[in-house]
Amino acid sequence: MAELVNVMPLFNDLAKIEPEHRVACQDCSLFRLCLPLGLQNSDLAQLDTIIKRSQSYKRAHTLFSTDNEFKSLYVVRSGSFKTTISAVNGREQVTGFYFPGEFIGLDAIHQQSYQSNAKALETSSVCELPFENLQEIGKKMPQLQIQLLTRLSKELSSDKNLMLLLGKKTADEKIATFLLSLSKRFQDRGFSATEFQLTMSRSDIANHLGLAVETVSRVMSRFQEDGLIVINGKAISLRNTTAINAMCG
Amino acid sequence: MAELVNVMPLFNDLAKIEPEHRVACQDCSLFRLCLPLGLQNSDLAQLDTIIKRSQSYKRAHTLFSTDNEFKSLYVVRSGSFKTTISAVNGREQVTGFYFPGEFIGLDAIHQQSYQSNAKALETSSVCELPFENLQEIGKKMPQLQIQLLTRLSKELSSDKNLMLLLGKKTADEKIATFLLSLSKRFQDRGFSATEFQLTMSRSDIANHLGLAVETVSRVMSRFQEDGLIVINGKAISLRNTTAINAMCG
DNA sequence: TTATTTCCATGATCTATATCAAAATATCTG
DNA sequence: CAGATATTTTGATATAGATCATGGAAATAA
């Protein structure tokens, strides 16, 4: 088996860079990826007053589930999360993975109740935005509302692309698309685009992409044989992004 | 073949009830399903000034496509639309069907460019909301922003359910879920929940649900044999909603 | 540490649904 | 309205990926 050294840090290493969970938005390394983007300093200070910064949660900690009362939206501060919805017969669909700077709970707004369950994939922390307060200060801060709108629109757009993936792509195309999507997001966050950790299990990946775990395993093994990637447990290295990109369909 | 009489009107019959395309929001029959819900009268009047009400478009008319400049959001006034996105290799995914009172183009906001293509499924008309103007008046109308947010959140939520459908459901469950979703939306609009027209082609349905046309045809024929539905071309009648509901998975 | 559980990889087999083919309807167009 | 074109239905066959089975590797608990 090919060797993989020099594995890039997990996202929860952000927590090490920024251990103070009281750090204000303007000093946060996620600033340019996060909600406050485009806000005036005075507005920012006001936003800061309503944000509750969480302690870190352990792997598998449930951030919220459909039977919790909807109170807050969350932004990932460090680590990563998955969201799921379940069908009546118990089957579950992993509807998304969330990394630092990304919002969780946006689909709860319309019914004022959580429509999905959110769970930490590793040691993680969040910024909690009590929705009522957010709406309150939003009334005087159009820029904040626009940011929120923009975030929702972005998630909508990426969900439509996931529909295309689920409805039309082959197993190979699904995995290739998934890996590149992660790569892109890691790069946006200042991490390596080619060496990163799959913080979610193979079965989470399989579920999210509408595949069986075995298929994910097999496709990844084959990608490795073909020199596209190198896998070592949860660590992955993209060795031929051009070829992977060409496989996205 | 079972007979199907008394087919319910198409949505474009709304246009007959309301032929004036200058009719103001407060007099529109879609009022309680539409954006202005919750607005003060004075705000409503202001919203009215920025809305452009379209003439009716013919079937297959392209409302917008990804290579048009993003200028406006649209709300369906009469008729129905589909949206699609396409993969690099030309494959397309039907990402949604839209009926009166529903928004089209929300996924364009974040990039300020259309991420999908929207096409009329029958003779249809829309209300056009120039986005810049909308943002402008939204600054003084928090309620409008909240409505917009709510709409986005609702679409997000239904897209997550579609992910569950695409990723985890069998062909039978997909069709059953789809029929009930239409039924629900028709009922919300004051039409029969059990007798309606499938304004989209079988191939649009198939594409949307991640199936082959032949599978859609076969499953529907079987549902008819089993007395769950009666089909007559584009007209459909749900004869056993309880059973259909039990099949949604 | 060792025991226990969960996760991952790989092989063998099966099946739901796609694909291919062709006839029957429906819908357009001049 | 007739002819042309597109859509839908139904049948026969093929296949991508699911499911079943097993052994080994990590992770977790005791």
Side-chain angles (χ1 to χ4, degrees):
Chain A
M1 130 107 81
E3 243 181 284
L4 181 66
V5 290
N6 225 339
V7 161
M8 281 297 113
L10 294 180
F11 275 145
N12 53 33
D13 284 3
L14 268 180
K16 284 170 203 149
I17 298 163
E18 229 159 62
E20 274 299 330
H21 63 268
R22 270 144 290 145
V23 66
C25 289
Q26 47 262 64
D27 304 323
C28 179
S29 66
L30 292 169
F31 182 82
R32 87 204 148 73
L33 288 166
C34 198
L35 182 67
L37 191 67
L39 290 193
Q40 310 284 338
N41 271 348
S42 59
D43 289 349
L44 203 52
Q46 209 182 338
L47 178 61
D48 251 326
T49 64
I50 70 157
I51 295 181
K52 299 180 195 165
R53 295 177 178 81
S54 79
Q55 302 291 132
S56 70
Y57 301 121
K58 286 224 182 88
R59 200 179 91 73
H61 172 89
T62 297
L63 184 61
F64 60 76
S65 81
T66 50
D67 33 52
N68 296 141
E69 188 197 355
F70 171 67
K71 290 228 298 283
S72 300
L73 301 177
Y74 297 90
V75 178
V76 181
R77 255 167 62 77
S78 65
S80 49
F81 290 81
K82 69 171 173 184
T83 54
T84 58
I85 56 175
S86 23
V88 287
N89 55 24
R91 274 173 300 182
E92 283 211 328
Q93 172 74 29
V94 173
T95 48
F97 298 116
Y98 297 84
F99 296 108
E102 295 178 336
F103 265 86
I104 315 183
L106 293 174
D107 54 343
I109 295 172
H110 74 117
Q111 294 267 52
Q112 297 280 305
S113 79
Y114 291 119
Q115 302 295 302
S116 41
N117 316 293
K119 201 173 254 196
L121 293 171
E122 57 186 310
T123 304
S124 305
S125 64
V126 295
C127 289
E128 179 180 349
L129 306 168
F131 189 65
E132 272 195 24
N133 301 345
L134 198 63
Q135 284 307 306
E136 204 48 55
I137 68 170
K139 287 180 186 166
K140 298 154 220 142
M141 255 184 249
Q143 203 52 46
L144 182 68
Q145 293 282 16
I146 293 176
Q147 263 297 313
L148 213 48
L149 219 54
T150 304
R151 288 325 195 81
L152 266 157
S153 175
K154 186 172 186 172
E155 180 154 7
L156 200 54
S157 185
S158 76
D159 282 3
K160 306 276 182 190
N161 281 298
L162 206 53
M163 275 185 214
L164 173 65
L165 177 145
L166 287 168
K168 299 280 166 315
K169 296 193 178 185
T170 65
D172 283 18
E173 291 168 343
K174 284 175 176 182
I175 302 278
T177 308
F178 176 68
L179 292 178
L180 280 194
S181 145
L182 285 186
S183 164
K184 177 75 168 43
R185 285 153 89 185
F186 289 171
Q187 188 164 40
D188 287 349
R189 281 159 186 76
F191 292 102
S192 166
T194 54
E195 323 266 320
F196 48 87
Q197 296 281 331
L198 303 170
T199 58
M200 66 293 294
S201 69
R202 298 288 191 275
S203 112
D204 284 338
I205 297 174
N207 183 304
H208 185 52
L209 303 179
L211 296 171
V213 206
E214 294 92 331
T215 306
V216 172
S217 219
R218 273 187 260 269
V219 171
M220 285 179 127
S221 298
R222 185 155 38 74
F223 279 12
Q224 177 158 252
E225 277 165 38
D226 298 349
L228 299 179
I229 62 178
V230 178
I231 327 168
N232 189 353
K234 297 210 166 279
I236 187 164
S237 164
L238 310 188
R239 291 294 163 89
N240 187 346
T241 24
T242 320
I244 299 173
N245 193 56
M247 297 194 64
C248 290
Chain B
M1 128 109 80
E3 244 181 283
L4 182 64
V5 289
N6 227 338
V7 159
M8 282 296 114
L10 295 179
F11 275 147
N12 52 34
D13 285 3
L14 268 181
K16 285 170 203 150
I17 297 163
E18 228 158 63
E20 273 300 330
H21 63 269
R22 270 144 291 145
V23 65
C25 288
Q26 47 263 64
D27 303 324
C28 179
S29 67
L30 292 169
F31 183 82
R32 86 202 149 73
L33 288 165
C34 197
L35 183 67
L37 192 68
L39 290 192
Q40 311 284 337
N41 271 348
S42 59
D43 289 350
L44 203 51
Q46 208 182 339
L47 178 62
D48 250 325
T49 65
I50 70 158
I51 295 181
K52 298 181 196 165
R53 294 176 180 83
S54 79
Q55 303 290 132
S56 71
Y57 301 121
K58 287 225 183 88
R59 202 179 90 75
H61 172 89
T62 296
L63 184 61
F64 59 75
S65 81
T66 49
D67 32 54
N68 295 141
E69 188 197 354
F70 171 67
K71 291 228 297 283
S72 300
L73 301 177
Y74 297 91
V75 179
V76 182
R77 254 168 62 77
S78 65
S80 50
F81 291 81
K82 69 170 174 184
T83 53
T84 58
I85 55 175
S86 23
V88 287
N89 55 23
R91 273 173 301 183
E92 283 212 327
Q93 172 74 28
V94 173
T95 48
F97 298 117
Y98 296 85
F99 296 109
E102 294 178 336
F103 264 86
I104 315 182
L106 293 174
D107 54 344
I109 295 172
H110 75 115
Q111 293 267 53
Q112 297 280 307
S113 78
Y114 292 119
Q115 303 296 300
S116 40
N117 316 294
K119 199 173 255 197
L121 293 171
E122 57 185 310
T123 304
S124 305
S125 65
V126 296
C127 290
E128 179 180 348
L129 306 168
F131 188 66
E132 273 194 22
N133 300 346
L134 197 64
Q135 283 308 303
E136 205 46 54
I137 69 170
K139 284 178 187 165
K140 298 154 220 143
M141 255 183 250
Q143 202 53 45
L144 182 68
Q145 293 282 17
I146 292 176
Q147 263 295 313
L148 213 48
L149 219 56
T150 304
R151 289 321 196 86
L152 267 157
S153 175
K154 187 173 183 169
E155 180 155 6
L156 200 54
S157 185
S158 75
D159 281 4
K160 306 276 184 191
N161 281 299
L162 207 52
M163 277 185 212
L164 173 66
L165 176 146
L166 287 168
K168 298 283 166 315
K169 295 193 179 185
T170 65
D172 283 19
E173 291 168 341
K174 285 175 176 182
I175 301 278
T177 308
F178 175 68
L179 292 178
L180 280 193
S181 145
L182 286 185
S183 165
K184 178 73 167 46
R185 285 153 90 186
F186 289 171
Q187 187 163 41
D188 287 349
R189 281 158 185 77
F191 292 102
S192 167
T194 53
E195 323 267 320
F196 48 87
Q197 297 280 333
L198 302 169
T199 58
M200 65 295 293
S201 69
R202 298 287 192 274
S203 113
D204 285 338
I205 298 174
N207 183 304
H208 185 52
L209 304 180
L211 295 171
V213 206
E214 294 92 330
T215 306
V216 172
S217 214
R218 272 187 261 270
V219 171
M220 284 178 129
S221 298
R222 186 156 39 74
F223 279 12
Q224 177 158 253
E225 279 166 36
D226 298 349
L228 298 178
I229 61 177
V230 177
I231 327 169
N232 189 354
K234 297 213 165 278
I236 187 164
S237 165
L238 310 187
R239 291 295 163 88
N240 187 346
T241 25
T242 319
I244 299 173
N245 192 55
M247 296 193 66
C248 289

